[in-house]
Amino acid sequence: MNVLIIEDEKPAARRLNRMLVALGIKVQQMLHSVEESLNWLQNNEHPDLIFLDIQLSDGLSFEIFEEIEVKSAIIFTTAYDEYALKAFKLNSIDYLLKPLDEDELKIAVDKFKSNRPTKTEVQVNLDDIRKLLINPVDRKFKKRISIKVGQHIKIISIDQVDCFYSENKATYIYTSENRSYLLDHSLEHWQEQLDPEQFFRVNRTFIVHINAIKDIIAYSNSRLKLILNSYNKNEIIVSRERVKDFKNWID
């Protein structure tokens, strides 16, 4: 039985490792970020079981599923409340609430052992999970962004934004005025602030505005290439795992 821990808090990862060792389970590897996990999973055989934290140091762990086909059973470890945990029940994915309890961990492991699935692609509806992680009744989305430009503060309406993008570990917006501006927070942070009716995360690097899309072109490996009204610095490719959700979004 091969087990992987993906947890950005190293003390929590070590504690989970000790708890699993006490159950006679040897952990193959401990990883601490989305990027590190993607690199490892792309270059190693997928384990039988992954203990996966939701919030990692460089984004939500759901991004891993957007990039690769994970062929392991998943047990999420999370501090989210009971309301949010409905998401995992919808997808038949087990979860453990932090701080982890030894008895609950044993029950989860025994459940996995007794119903051990064959390795297959884990089907995760990312949008459904994200919607359940927040209460949509109380949710207010960004309508404008204030940016410091030299000694000035510029206010940009969200409708002027063609896209948000990451480059060299920094995050930017590109506007309909053909200007780019550096932002203070990560792409993941901004994704949570944006109305999903208007903006879509097409891959790990880009979030695009629906009104900024000028053309959609069939691309290799069942992907799509986007042409925006203003932004043209780099190619914008809808990742293969996101194509279905993207098509539903534009409809």
Side-chain angles (χ1 to χ4, degrees):
M1 179 174 169
N2 295 320
V3 173
L4 182 68
I5 294 175
I6 301 178
E7 163 70 67
D8 70 326
E9 296 179 7
K10 293 184 180 181
R14 289 193 293 268
R15 179 173 181 268
L16 175 56
N17 184 34
R18 290 194 298 271
M19 293 169 72
L20 290 170
V21 169
L23 295 175
I25 297 170
K26 184 177 180 180
V27 175
Q28 184 177 0
Q29 186 75 30
M30 290 190 289
L31 306 170
H32 308 292
S33 68
V34 171
E35 183 177 2
E36 187 181 17
S37 301
L38 283 172
N39 290 336
W40 193 92
L41 290 167
Q42 286 168 343
N43 293 286
N44 294 274
E45 183 180 354
H46 291 194
D48 301 303
L49 178 62
I50 298 176
F51 286 88
L52 183 62
D53 189 16
I54 293 177
Q55 182 68 59
L56 300 174
S57 59
D58 56 346
L60 294 180
S61 58
F62 305 136
E63 293 181 50
I64 297 169
F65 298 103
E66 294 175 354
E67 294 294 320
I68 58 176
E69 297 177 357
V70 176
K71 298 181 179 180
S72 308
I74 304 292
I75 295 179
F76 278 105
T77 58
T78 174
Y80 285 111
D81 60 22
E82 187 176 351
Y83 172 79
L85 295 177
K86 293 177 184 178
F88 309 113
K89 295 176 183 178
L90 289 176
N91 291 276
S92 300
I93 297 171
D94 211 344
Y95 64 87
L96 293 170
L97 194 61
K98 291 181 177 180
L100 301 185
D101 178 83
E102 292 180 0
D103 292 334
E104 291 179 355
L105 175 63
K106 185 178 186 304
I107 290 170
V109 170
D110 289 343
K111 179 181 174 183
F112 166 76
K113 287 180 176 179
S114 62
N115 299 286
R116 192 164 177 171
T118 57
K119 285 189 178 181
T120 184
E121 180 183 353
V122 178
Q123 298 294 330
V124 181
N125 189 321
L126 302 172
D127 289 336
D128 280 353
I129 291 178
R130 284 196 177 101
K131 288 174 185 175
L132 285 168
L133 288 175
I134 59 172
N135 186 342
V137 175
D138 299 330
R139 191 64 168 169
K140 293 182 180 179
F141 299 108
K142 276 283 186 182
K143 294 184 178 179
R144 56 186 173 271
I145 301 173
S146 59
I147 299 170
K148 187 176 181 181
V149 182
Q151 298 300 314
H152 304 270
I153 295 178
K154 184 177 180 62
I155 299 175
I156 299 173
S157 168
I158 204 70
D159 293 327
Q160 293 178 275
V161 178
D162 270 19
C163 64
F164 292 72
Y165 65 97
S166 295
E167 190 173 90
N168 298 323
K169 297 186 178 180
T171 306
Y172 301 84
I173 57 170
Y174 198 90
T175 71
S176 55
E177 299 175 339
N178 293 307
R179 292 287 305 276
S180 62
Y181 298 92
L182 178 65
L183 300 175
D184 290 333
H185 300 289
S186 68
L187 204 63
E188 188 65 46
H189 167 86
W190 289 106
Q191 183 178 1
E192 295 174 3
Q193 308 299 314
L194 302 172
D195 184 349
E197 295 292 321
Q198 295 185 57
F199 289 90
F200 188 87
R201 180 82 172 265
V202 298
N203 54 42
R204 290 194 70 211
T205 307
F206 284 93
I207 300 173
V208 301
H209 194 296
I210 184 69
N211 294 333
I213 299 174
K214 183 179 181 180
D215 196 9
I216 303 172
I217 305 168
Y219 200 70
S220 63
N221 296 325
S222 302
R223 296 175 295 170
L224 298 172
K225 179 179 178 179
L226 304 184
I227 306 298
L228 302 189
N229 292 327
S230 300
Y231 181 91
N232 60 8
K233 289 177 59 181
N234 298 298
E235 285 189 335
I236 302 178
I237 308 298
V238 182
S239 64
R240 185 162 57 89
E241 293 77 11
R242 301 292 286 157
V243 166
K244 182 179 178 181
D245 288 339
F246 176 79
K247 288 180 177 178
N248 290 335
W249 176 67
I250 60 177
D251 285 341

